Amino acid sequence: MIRVLLAEDQGMMRGALALLLGLEPDIEVVAQVGRGDEVVVAAAAATPDVALLDIEMPGLSGLDAAAQLRTAAPACKVLILTTFGRPGYLRRAMDAGARGFLVKDGPVEELAEAIRRVLAGHTVIDPALAAAALAAGPNPLTEREREVLASAADGATIADLATRLHLSESTVRNYLSAAIGKTGTRNRMEAVQTARAQGWL
């Protein structure tokens, strides 16, 4: 049996996925969590072969949980399953060690087959998303620019951002200016929207 950990913050979706995957003769859902920061603990307890992770979860994103699993449970293969088919997410998932990336609108049979293929050592990526990621190119933002831009998403002032991030106000302005330039936008809120749409944040 293929042992699967399922991480999905929407209870109804999580239950439906567990039920449908449980109908497969060779798949057993051995753990279910609704928060990203519960993934590593659940994996340590249940020793799954494959972790099926949503991206946007409370506590920790699926992308960050995937990166943690690579260290904490290197034998566990990660498959990202998300509503948000953004090109930048695909690149970040692969960088975090994920072996598969699918969007949620596919049939459950396709998901079950992807789980088998990932466990067998293959990489499984939604074809349309792979094409979009290639067309979009790499994330132009540095790690620090991403951090500052993400922190600016709530409309905080430069002074507030500087305090929050332990940076000088001029440094915050420089990072925001660079992010605005790289996203081809007119202000930081447009930069946040563009970066989110591309999956860069």
Side-chain angles (χ1 to χ4, degrees), residues 39-191:
V39 169
V40 169
V41 173
T47 61
D49 301 306
V50 177
L52 195 57
L53 308 180
D54 187 19
I55 288 183
E56 298 198 354
M57 293 185 286
L60 196 70
S61 78
L63 299 174
D64 292 329
Q68 288 187 357
L69 274 178
R70 183 166 54 179
T71 303
C76 179
K77 305 286 193 283
V78 172
L79 179 59
I80 300 288
L81 183 65
T82 183
T83 307
F84 305 101
R86 296 172 181 157
Y89 279 169
L90 172 57
R91 287 181 180 273
R92 288 170 59 196
M94 297 297 111
D95 288 345
R99 301 302 303 267
F101 196 107
L102 296 175
V103 288
K104 289 180 183 173
D105 58 3
V108 72
E109 295 81 11
E110 188 178 294
L111 176 59
E113 185 55 31
I115 289 171
R116 296 181 189 106
R117 286 177 55 76
V118 162
L119 186 60
H122 301 287
T123 299
V124 181
I125 299 171
D126 179 89
L129 190 57
L134 286 172
N139 182 349
L141 303 175
T142 66
E143 189 67 35
R144 204 61 157 140
E145 287 163 358
R146 277 181 49 217
E147 181 186 7
V148 173
L149 193 59
S151 293
D154 63 1
T157 66
I158 297 292
D160 288 342
L161 290 171
T163 302
R164 188 185 302 170
L165 298 169
H166 309 291
L167 298 170
S168 71
E169 291 185 24
S170 62
T171 301
V172 169
R173 282 193 192 89
N174 288 341
Y175 281 128
L176 288 175
S177 177
I180 290 165
K182 289 179 178 180
T183 54
T185 53
R186 294 173 298 179
N187 57 54
R188 60 176 163 163
M189 295 318 291
E190 283 186 10

